[in-house]
């Protein structure tokens, strides 16, 4: 080091002290571990989630634009006994079952609270779901390899390099803005729930985000939040209440994220270490999709480079795979379950899927708010399973 200084060379920049490490092999040679690490630390869970994400978003073939997750069975809204249906895989078929949020049925083609979401161009979002063939093998419980993926898409005026895009039969481009993954493992029958989003979906409500126009928030709102002004005139995080089915076009919503990485700043009522959970998520995001991240440094012609525009928001599971119980997040009366086994991002929401369910007033503060897991009825943790058999 002294030698470099004497030569007039600046010393190298110190490397960040990450407490949870990413591996370049996750991108170049992706694999899906069968379960989380033995210690079951926060790092173990998020390394597991990222490895599955990168394996599922890799090209399905060397010469294909389609990704692995697109080659699972697609969920068909309004259809029963789907495991008995003819298997049709691939993007062309998936596009046929894309559904906007205009149907008030109980099928999983909508946001958690059934409200429609409109992007900054006033277009309604589209959603679809895939499930692994292992779901068709379940009888009393799921089996290893069981996976559900839910995606959300916005309408694009043209194909953009900073979005993973698909093209519909009428030549309309759709850009991916959200991706949920629910993974069953031998140790975690409650499933491990993770979510990723496009980096430009929405700013943080505390005003710390960059001032720009987001997918679901205008530059005016981002500026108002950053300046700590009264922004009530923008109706932030308030859905439009339509009579009847929501239209395909409407006034854009204004959205901000209340909880970065799905955590309050202080420890949760049940002892979940929120600051540590957040740090691990951000460590891996920085190493993988940060400015100098592994994926960000890939050449532009690498099919994995597009994922530099996305980041993990968080994940949630239960300690030792226990029943999900009730949420430790405070309810309207200020109470919560201090014995809840839930761990990870306890207020996990995806801005494109649970947009209007954030904070203490929410009846579904995280994934387990809807996807309850019990040992007596383990299959009911999945909302689509009843339509498969």
């Amino acid at each position: 080091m002294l030698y470099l200084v004497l030569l007039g060379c600046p010393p190298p920049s110190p490397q960040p002290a990450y407490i949870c490490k990413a591996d370049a092999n996750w991108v170049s040679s992706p694999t899906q571990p069968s379960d989380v690490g033995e210690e079951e630390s926060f790092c173990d869970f998020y390394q597991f989630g990222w490895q599955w994400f990168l394996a599922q978003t890799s090209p399905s073939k060397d010469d294909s634009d389609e990704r692995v997750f697109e080659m699972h069975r697609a969920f068909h809204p309004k259809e029963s006994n789907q495991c008995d249906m003819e298997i049709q895989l691939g993007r062309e078929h998936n596009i046929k079952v894309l559904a906007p949020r205009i149907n008030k049925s109980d099928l999983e083609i909508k946001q958690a609270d059934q409200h429609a979401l409109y992007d900054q161009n006033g277009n309604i979002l589209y959603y679809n779901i895939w499930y692994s063939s292992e779901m068709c093998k379940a009888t009393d419980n799921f089996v290893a390899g069981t996976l559900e993926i839910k995606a959300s898409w916005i309408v694009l005026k043209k194909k953009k390099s900073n979005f993973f895009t698909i093209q519909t039969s009428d030549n309309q481009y759709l850009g991916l803005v959200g991706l949920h993954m629910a993974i069953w493992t031998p140790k975690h029958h409650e499933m491990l729930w993770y979510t990723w989003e496009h980096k430009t979906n929405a700013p943080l409500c505390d005003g710390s985000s960059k001032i720009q126009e987001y997918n679901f928030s205008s530059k005016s709102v981002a500026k108002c939040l950053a300046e700590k002004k009264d922004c009530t005139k923008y109706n932030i995080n308030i859905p439009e209440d339509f009579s009847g089915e929501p239209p395909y076009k409407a006034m854009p919503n204004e959205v901000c994220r209340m909880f970065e990485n799905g955590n309050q700043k202080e420890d949760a009522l049940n002892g979940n270490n929120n600051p540590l959970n957040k740090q691990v998520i951000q460590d891996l995001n920085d190493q993988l999709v940060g400015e100098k991240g592994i994926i960000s440094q890939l050449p532009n012609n690498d099919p994995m480079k597009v994922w530099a525009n996305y980041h993990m928001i968080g994940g949630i599971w239960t300690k030792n795979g226990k029943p999900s119980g009730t949420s430790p997040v405070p309810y309207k009366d200020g109470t919560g379950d201090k014995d809840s086994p839930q761990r990870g991002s306890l207020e996990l929401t995806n801005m494109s899927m649970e947009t209007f369910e954030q904070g203490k007033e929410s009846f579904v503060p995280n994934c387990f708010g809807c996807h309850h897991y019990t040992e007596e009825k383990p299959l009911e943790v999945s909302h689509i399973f009843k339509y498969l058999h």
Side-chain angles (χ1 to χ4, degrees), residues 19-20 42-43 46 276-284:
I19 63 173
C20 186
F42 285 123
C43 185
Y46 291 118
L276 179 59
N277 183 73
K278 176 180 175 181
Q279 182 178 354
V280 169
I281 295 167
Q282 294 185 350
D283 272 4
L284 292 176

Side-chain angles (χ1 to χ4, degrees), residues 13 72 128:
S13 300
H72 292 300
N128 62 337

Side-chain angles (χ1 to χ4, degrees), residues 182-196:
I183 309 163
W184 189 96
T185 80
K187 290 193 293 185
H188 286 274
H189 298 182
E190 81 281 16
M191 291 191 170
L192 308 179
W193 302 81
Y194 301 97
T195 197
W196 285 260

Side-chain angles (χ1 to χ4, degrees), residues 90-129:
R91 184 176 299 175
E92 182 178 355
H93 175 67
N94 297 335
I95 288 172
K96 295 177 182 179
V97 294
L98 276 167
R101 175 44 212 112
I102 59 172
N103 190 322
K104 294 193 176 184
S105 73
D106 64 347
L107 293 176
E108 286 275 292
I109 60 171
K110 56 187 180 296
Q111 290 203 82
D113 60 6
Q114 301 189 20
H115 288 295
L117 174 63
Y118 295 86
D119 64 23
Q120 286 300 293
N121 292 315
N123 293 309
I124 200 167
L125 264 67
Y126 287 75
Y127 301 86
N128 62 337
I129 293 175

Side-chain angles (χ1 to χ4, degrees), residues 9 58 76 129 144 150 172 294 308 321-322 325 333-334 337 369 371:
C9 299
S58 295
H76 290 240
I129 293 175
K150 185 176 183 179
Q172 176 68 67
I294 295 167
K322 292 181 179 179
D333 60 1
D337 182 4
H371 297 270

Side-chain angles (χ1 to χ4, degrees), residues 20-35:
C20 186
K21 299 294 181 66
D23 191 329
N25 289 326
W26 299 351
V27 181
S28 59
S29 302
T31 58
Q32 297 178 166
S34 60
D35 222 318

Side-chain angles (χ1 to χ4, degrees), residues 97-374:
V97 294
L98 276 167
R101 175 44 212 112
I102 59 172
N103 190 322
K104 294 193 176 184
S105 73
D106 64 347
L107 293 176
E108 286 275 292
I109 60 171
K110 56 187 180 296
Q111 290 203 82
D113 60 6
Q114 301 189 20
H115 288 295
L117 174 63
Y118 295 86
D119 64 23
Q120 286 300 293
N121 292 315
N123 293 309
I124 200 167
L125 264 67
Y126 287 75
Y127 301 86
N128 62 337
I129 293 175
W130 296 267
Y131 58 96
S132 64
S133 60
E134 283 81 3
M135 290 195 75
C136 292
K137 302 175 184 178
T139 52
D140 298 327
N141 206 338
F142 293 117
V143 300
T146 294
L147 169 70
E148 288 185 31
I149 295 179
K150 185 176 183 179
S152 53
W153 310 82
I154 60 171
V155 175
L156 299 175
K157 294 181 179 179
K158 61 181 181 180
K159 188 173 183 178
K160 294 184 177 181
S161 61
N162 62 330
F163 283 86
F164 177 74
T165 59
I166 57 176
Q167 188 174 13
T168 64
S169 57
D170 57 355
N171 295 320
Q172 176 68 67
Y173 287 108
L174 298 178
L176 183 72
V177 288
L179 194 76
H180 274 337
M181 293 181 66
I183 309 163
W184 189 96
T185 80
K187 290 193 293 185
H188 286 274
H189 298 182
E190 81 281 16
M191 291 191 170
L192 308 179
W193 302 81
Y194 301 97
T195 197
W196 285 260
E197 289 190 41
H198 197 273
K199 289 181 178 180
T200 61
N201 271 2
L204 290 167
C205 297
D206 66 8
S208 62
S209 299
K210 181 180 179 181
I211 298 176
Q212 65 178 52
E213 185 165 308
Y214 292 83
N215 297 325
F216 311 123
S217 183
S218 65
K219 188 174 182 179
S220 297
V221 163
K223 186 173 185 292
C224 182
L225 293 171
E227 294 175 350
K228 311 295 183 183
K229 294 182 177 179
D230 180 1
C231 305
T232 54
K233 68 177 182 180
Y234 294 105
N235 294 322
I236 300 173
N237 293 339
I238 298 176
E240 189 74 26
D241 188 15
F242 298 101
S243 58
E245 291 187 344
Y248 283 77
K249 295 277 291 187
M251 288 293 294
N253 291 114
E254 296 287 2
V255 172
C256 69
R257 187 190 308 281
M258 291 182 64
F259 300 104
E260 188 175 21
N261 303 119
N263 283 124
Q264 298 185 45
K265 293 181 180 179
E266 64 277 358
D267 284 346
L269 295 174
N270 65 344
N272 187 68
N273 189 333
N274 288 344
L276 179 59
N277 183 73
K278 176 180 175 181
Q279 182 178 354
V280 169
I281 295 167
Q282 294 185 350
D283 272 4
L284 292 176
N285 278 338
D286 188 44
Q287 293 170 78
L288 290 164
V289 296
E291 183 179 352
K292 298 182 179 180
I294 295 167
I295 299 174
S296 302
Q297 296 300 309
L298 293 173
N300 290 334
N301 63 352
D302 191 301
M304 295 299 285
K305 179 64 176 282
V306 68
W307 303 117
N309 300 291
Y310 297 80
H311 56 176
M312 175 190 275
I313 301 302
I316 192 168
W317 57 91
T318 67
K319 187 175 183 179
N320 299 322
K322 292 181 179 179
S324 56
T326 55
S327 174
V329 179
Y331 295 121
K332 293 180 181 180
D333 60 1
T335 62
D337 182 4
K338 64 180 179 61
D339 297 319
S340 170
Q342 296 179 20
R343 295 293 184 269
S345 303
L346 301 181
E347 295 189 276
L348 185 62
T349 52
N350 186 300
M351 291 300 93
S352 64
M353 300 190 200
E354 300 91 18
T355 316
F356 308 109
E357 290 302 325
Q358 300 185 75
K360 295 181 180 179
E361 301 299 312
S362 172
F363 76 99
V364 284
N366 60 41
C367 306
F368 291 126
C370 288
H371 297 270
H372 304 289
Y373 167 69
T374 65

